[in-house]
Amino acid sequence: MRSPIAFLLEGFARGRDAEALVCAGRSVTYGELLEAVERTRARLDAAGLPRGAVVALEADFSPEAVAALLALIERGAVVVPLTDSVAARHETFRRIAQVEWRLAADGAPTATGLRAEHPFYTRLRREDHPGLVLFSSGSSGEPKAAVHDWLPLLEKFHAPRPALRTLAFLLFDHIGGLNTLLYGLANGACLVVVEDRGPETVCRAIERHRVELLPTSPTFLNLMLAGGAWRRHDLSSLRRITYGTEPMPQSTLERLHAVFPGVELQQTYGLSELGILRSKSRGPNSLWVKIGGEGFETRVVDGLLEIRARSAMLGYLNAPSPFTDDGWFRTGDAVEVEGEWMRILGRRSELINVGGEKVYPAEVESVLRTLDGVLEVAVTGEAHPLTGQIVKAVVRLAADEEPAAFRRRMRVHCRGRLAPYQIPQKVVFSDRPLHGERFKTLRREAGI
Amino acid sequence: MRETVLEVIREAVHEALEGRGDVQGAALEEDTVLFGEGGLLDSMGLVTAVVAVEQALADRHGLVVSLADERALSRRNSPYRTVGTLADYTLELIGPAAP
């Protein structure tokens, strides 16, 4: 069988002198990346890593990590990427994924003593296909481990696309981060790696390295706009901003468009279980999108989005199948449909029911974010004897304010922008950030 | 204490009315009807006002009371009927420990 990454390595050889990665002040060309892949191959050979082994790649974006990822895929391994952002849970992740070997970006693989015998692994080995395990946060309890076959995941990268200098914002162990990486590698683009994902660092890197594509999350964009980091740097190189992982607040989208009128804003829709779908927005300011693209079909059942994907995972290692009998994945995302367009409202499980009226947190958050002095906000439901649930907002403010004064100001602001039942009945203040490492608003954690 | 509680209730009711665009600042006497026939508040308004009273008592006076529970809902005479009945009920929950 031809190596599944041969098409990538051939591209590297053709564009030898082009910049592949900029990382911690170091610039690496595609030629050098190819050499790094060869060195990793030798290390894996020396350690006698068997084909089909389940290997935790404990690394973040770096030339060595990228080389290790490619060498593992080539070797038919099942790769379990683990970044420092989840350091405290590595042991749990290794146990769930039955990790047999551990590999740091620039070290030799070491055996863990575990044996991986899950039926999905057996199937991958029988077909001699490389695999990938990604963890999704899961709404409760243990994180869910999604097992993928790399072959269908890699398929879409065979089609050439424009090479844009891209910032590696999404993480190395995230479907979005891997998508960014492979898109860049397949098209000979340069990937810019940042030390941290704060707005200042990201904006500085965009200016310094003339970044053209920023794949990110609505929470990050909102923090960037709220803190004014975009004013202090020259971001004129940006051509496209993509955002996914959570619903985009209308208010953030409008401000973003006003601040970056010439930049294409594109929503993506990706899931650890399915890969990243292509999407097309109805207009620059619109949350209405068409999602799908080759290899994906969508349908809406009872207001919930279902997707059938060629690149869908085989299944979870540690949870029941989320697929219907005919292979559709139940996303749990509630959507509104208008002809061929749809708007993603949010997780059905996060829906708040106030006396029979439905409230989606994202819509309320969107309005609260336009209030002066509000840095971050997370909206959740709280049980209440009168109406079943009430809307509770956890707010992080730029400066202290008397609670009653803020609530008053908030109610005046919300009037006319939200229905009475959507206006938070309860407001709690937080001085901690309301987002996690992945720059997604943490409603559950904020809802304590 | 009764005056303090009445003040908190008046403020909370105004807050709830503001959310509905009702800003004329109704005079709130003890016998002003809040909820039920002829009341100032609809059910969303009542929830908002009740939560606002709870939050103000907690924020300013360190008093944790729950004004909406089974007890409140099962009373023959609704504690939410007037400004005065809500004050009575609030004081009853605060109990003799009131500052």
Side-chain angles (χ1 to χ4, degrees):
Chain A
M1 189 183 75
R2 184 175 146 85
S3 154
I5 57 155
F7 76 105
L8 291 175
L9 301 185
E10 285 158 15
F12 294 5
R14 277 196 305 274
R16 229 162 230 295
D17 298 328
E19 220 175 11
L21 270 106
V22 178
C23 179
R26 183 161 67 113
S27 167
V28 172
T29 64
Y30 274 99
E32 288 165 327
L33 192 56
L34 206 49
E35 287 161 23
V37 174
E38 280 157 22
R39 281 196 303 275
T40 315
R41 244 182 227 150
R43 282 210 314 274
L44 300 182
D45 282 341
L49 188 88
R51 286 196 77 82
V54 177
V55 184
L57 177 54
E58 297 172 10
D60 213 324
F61 280 113
S62 71
E64 291 74 22
V66 172
L69 176 71
L70 297 176
L72 288 169
I73 296 174
E74 192 180 57
R75 221 178 166 83
V78 176
V79 187
V80 187
L82 298 176
T83 62
D84 278 347
S85 73
V86 290
R89 297 195 291 168
H90 277 198
E91 210 180 309
T92 310
F93 287 179
R94 284 197 299 266
R95 174 178 53 75
I96 295 171
Q98 307 173 341
V99 165
E100 296 170 310
W101 295 78
R102 297 172 63 181
L103 179 64
D106 50 2
T110 53
T112 62
L114 292 178
R115 294 269 300 154
E117 282 166 339
H118 195 282
F120 290 140
Y121 292 152
T122 312
R123 179 167 146 196
L124 286 168
R125 285 169 184 151
R126 195 172 55 233
E127 293 169 354
D128 195 25
H129 286 187
L132 171 70
V133 176
L134 295 174
F135 287 93
S136 62
S137 41
S139 50
S140 61
E142 253 192 6
K144 286 187 277 193
V147 185
H148 284 270
D149 180 336
W150 267 111
L151 265 51
L153 277 182
L154 287 168
E155 203 178 295
K156 71 168 181 173
F157 298 104
H158 286 267
R161 306 254 172 224
L164 298 174
R165 289 176 74 83
T166 305
L167 195 116
F169 182 89
L170 304 168
L171 299 175
F172 189 59
D173 57 359
H174 183 271
I175 186 76
L178 290 172
N179 189 65
T180 303
L181 172 67
L182 290 163
Y183 183 98
L185 296 179
N187 296 292
C190 174
L191 203 66
V192 175
V193 178
V194 281
E195 308 274 299
D196 69 80
R197 289 160 172 90
E200 285 298 331
T201 310
V202 168
C203 289
R204 199 179 310 121
I206 293 172
E207 173 177 327
R208 184 173 305 159
H209 302 292
R210 308 301 297 157
V211 168
E212 296 167 297
L213 168 63
L214 174 64
T216 185
S217 68
T219 295
F220 171 82
L221 291 168
N222 192 58
L223 288 171
M224 181 182 76
L225 292 170
W230 58 275
R231 279 201 189 87
R232 294 184 283 278
H233 301 276
D234 170 11
L235 306 184
S236 59
S237 57
L238 275 180
R239 288 172 55 192
R240 189 189 301 164
I241 296 174
T242 64
Y243 53 89
T245 77
E246 58 182 350
M248 173 60 119
Q250 182 73 44
S251 55
T252 306
L253 184 59
E254 279 166 14
R255 281 202 64 203
L256 197 62
H257 184 59
V259 168
F260 300 107
V263 176
E264 186 191 340
L265 307 176
Q266 192 184 34
Q267 180 167 337
T268 60
Y269 187 85
L271 292 161
S272 310
E273 291 87 350
L274 301 179
I276 306 280
L277 283 74
R278 297 181 69 79
S279 75
K280 187 173 181 291
S281 299
R282 201 179 201 172
N285 257 349
S286 175
L287 290 173
W288 291 91
V289 289
K290 254 191 272 194
I291 59 172
E294 208 191 323
F296 294 100
E297 298 163 86
T298 60
R299 72 181 184 193
V300 177
V301 177
D302 187 24
L304 294 176
L305 178 62
E306 294 187 357
I307 300 173
R308 191 154 65 179
R310 259 209 313 270
S311 59
M313 64 169 182
L314 305 178
Y316 294 123
L317 287 177
N318 57 343
S321 169
F323 294 104
T324 62
D325 288 340
D326 51 348
W328 292 79
F329 179 79
R330 298 187 191 93
T331 64
D333 277 333
V335 293
E336 213 178 310
V337 179
E338 211 180 273
E340 57 186 345
W341 301 95
M342 64 173 73
R343 194 161 77 97
I344 296 155
L345 300 171
R347 311 291 301 162
R348 174 66 61 87
S349 59
E350 288 179 346
L351 183 78
I352 306 167
N353 189 326
V354 183
E357 302 279 5
K358 291 179 180 128
V359 180
Y360 282 99
E363 205 178 339
V364 180
E365 288 166 358
S366 171
V367 170
L368 296 187
R369 278 201 188 95
T370 58
L371 255 172
D372 283 342
V374 170
L375 291 180
E376 284 187 89
V377 56
V379 166
T380 54
E382 186 172 281
H384 198 276
L386 287 179
T387 47
Q389 278 186 304
I390 56 172
V391 179
K392 169 174 144 183
V394 182
V395 182
R396 184 158 75 95
L397 293 175
D400 277 347
E401 188 170 341
E402 211 269 311
F406 175 80
R407 285 204 306 266
R408 234 170 208 196
R409 189 159 76 82
M410 176 197 78
R411 290 194 201 293
V412 172
H413 178 79
C414 291
R415 205 164 60 214
R417 294 183 170 92
L418 291 173
Y421 57 86
Q422 293 177 302
I423 302 176
Q425 288 84 36
K426 187 164 185 175
V427 182
V428 173
F429 299 89
S430 169
D431 45 18
R432 289 183 300 123
L434 303 176
H435 63 269
E437 272 287 319
R438 289 164 201 276
F439 283 89
K440 248 172 115 159
T441 296
L442 301 172
R443 297 203 182 86
R444 206 174 332 125
E445 285 81 346
I448 40 168
Chain B
M1 190 61 204
R2 190 175 175 83
E3 256 325 297
T4 310
V5 167
L6 282 169
E7 196 43 48
V8 165
I9 291 172
R10 285 193 190 103
E11 239 183 84
V13 172
H14 278 135
E15 191 182 320
L17 290 173
E18 262 171 31
R20 298 190 335 186
D22 226 336
V23 283
Q24 76 271 42
L28 297 174
E29 306 300 337
E30 287 234 15
D31 59 357
T32 303
V33 177
L34 289 180
F35 190 64
E37 205 192 335
L40 284 175
L41 301 169
D42 60 10
S43 48
M44 279 324 303
L46 176 68
V47 176
T48 305
V50 162
V51 175
V53 170
E54 290 169 352
Q55 287 208 285
L57 288 173
D59 292 341
R60 289 186 216 155
H61 307 287
L63 294 168
V64 179
V65 294
S66 177
L67 293 172
D69 56 14
E70 286 311 311
R71 268 185 304 168
L73 300 183
S74 57
R75 289 207 168 188
R76 185 184 306 179
N77 296 315
S78 164
Y80 311 131
R81 183 70 186 146
T82 66
V83 172
T85 59
L86 183 55
D88 292 338
Y89 187 63
T90 308
L91 285 164
E92 190 185 316
L93 291 183
I94 293 172

